[in-house]
Amino acid sequence: MSRWSGLPASLDHRVRQLVVRLRRLKDHSGLSLAALAARTPYSKSSWERYLNGKKLPPAAAVEALARLCGADVTRLLALHEVAAQAWSAGRPVPEARPPVPAARPAPPVRSAPPGRSGPPPRAAGDEAPLPAAHTVPGAGRQVPLGPLVLGALAVLVVALPVLRPWQDHLAAARGTGAAPAGRALGAAPEFTPRPGEAFDCRLQRRDGALYAGHSRTATAVLGSGAEGWDAVEAQCLLRHHGYDPGVVDGVVGGRTLRAVKRLQAGSGLPTDGIVGPGTWKALRR
């Protein structure tokens, strides 16, 4: 019998009920986390997060565990649906970051006249004029401030073209522009879904296969609740083939599952709603 660590105190009781049920199934089956990873499409670390309440398991993972342990699939999926609603309602909304105040320039330094150690005297209420030159320590001479200001502006002009591609890269990673080059090289930015956000679909054909610019996978397994760039790619390809997945948000929901089943039925594949190698082959035609 496994010794489970305590679940987080902030976990909703509906999510807690689902996790406790999954733990019992795992214990009764006698399977280790490594064995679960070997018999399901989910990794050992994923199962560790699911069974410790760190992340809500997708419906496909719940169904896979139920079938593996001979449990009531319909009842477990009903528990998962209730837990998913509680999980979504309890997700914190990120706080808006306050604007960073601009740095205030340092007050100008007035050099003392020769033979005096302190600042020159001035009448009460008299404001110090802006110096036209600054003494360079050790040089014994004064350098006009005009060239210094012009030099700073020149540095900004040179730096702007360098910063612009970085900003374009961030915009593309959020789905507001073209896919960043790093994604094509396998270094995809971290996927972070945001409510109401939709991604662009830029379809092109390479070596006879169809791609939407978000993933080049042909083997990823996507079930209910799966999310990521592979899910964005699948939704784009479904829409291209005439099967409406809803909003292209990178999250496999009910509408996307129904679109996958219609594609599978039209391609002579088992209509299980799970995107696997066979379904990817149909999507990339």
Side-chain angles (χ1 to χ4, degrees):
M1 185 70 66
S2 299
R3 292 185 179 179
W4 296 103
S5 58
L7 294 174
S10 60
L11 204 62
D12 187 276
H13 69 92
R14 291 162 289 186
V15 181
R16 184 183 299 270
Q17 182 181 6
L18 173 66
V19 174
V20 169
R21 178 61 179 161
L22 296 179
R23 284 181 171 186
R24 289 175 180 171
L25 286 178
K26 186 263 181 191
D27 288 341
H28 292 164
S29 69
L31 297 173
S32 64
L33 294 179
L36 283 179
R39 300 188 183 189
T40 64
Y42 302 92
S43 65
K44 178 181 176 181
S45 59
S46 295
W47 280 114
E48 188 274 335
R49 289 193 295 269
Y50 300 156
L51 296 175
N52 283 291
K54 299 177 182 177
K55 184 176 182 181
L56 182 71
V62 174
E63 182 177 355
L65 181 60
R67 295 189 184 279
L68 194 61
C69 300
D72 188 342
V73 177
T74 303
R75 181 180 178 184
L76 270 181
L77 289 179
L79 286 176
H80 177 271
E81 184 175 358
V82 174
Q85 294 175 356
W87 185 276
S88 299
R91 291 180 68 179
V93 178
E95 298 181 358
R97 295 183 178 179
V100 179
R104 299 181 61 182
V109 179
R110 299 184 64 186
S111 58
R116 300 188 61 175
S117 58
R122 65 168 183 253
D126 185 23
E127 296 294 336
L130 182 67
H134 179 71
T135 302
V136 179
R141 61 187 181 87
Q142 292 187 332
V143 179
L145 290 179
L148 295 178
V149 176
L150 293 177
L153 291 177
V155 171
L156 288 177
V157 172
V158 173
L160 283 176
V162 178
L163 293 175
R164 182 53 188 249
W166 175 74
Q167 294 172 342
D168 292 343
H169 179 87
L170 289 180
R174 295 189 176 100
T176 58
R183 192 181 307 169
L185 298 176
E190 181 181 357
F191 179 82
T192 305
R194 297 177 177 84
E197 182 180 29
F199 296 94
D200 293 337
C201 299
R202 305 199 174 204
L203 296 167
Q204 55 182 332
R205 192 171 294 276
R206 295 181 180 177
D207 300 327
L210 194 63
Y211 297 94
H214 298 284
S215 172
R216 297 181 63 85
T217 184
T219 58
V221 177
L222 305 176
S224 177
E227 59 183 40
W229 295 118
D230 295 336
V232 176
E233 181 81 3
Q235 289 174 327
C236 286
L237 297 178
L238 283 167
R239 174 167 292 179
H240 172 76
H241 288 292
Y243 303 98
D244 185 12
V247 179
V248 180
D249 55 3
V251 180
V252 178
R255 195 164 179 177
T256 301
L257 284 176
R258 290 191 292 272
V260 171
K261 290 181 179 180
R262 290 196 297 270
L263 170 74
Q264 291 171 333
S267 303
L269 299 170
T271 56
D272 54 7
I274 299 176
V275 179
T279 305
W280 280 114
K281 186 175 181 180
L283 286 171
R284 298 219 183 267
R285 290 174 182 167

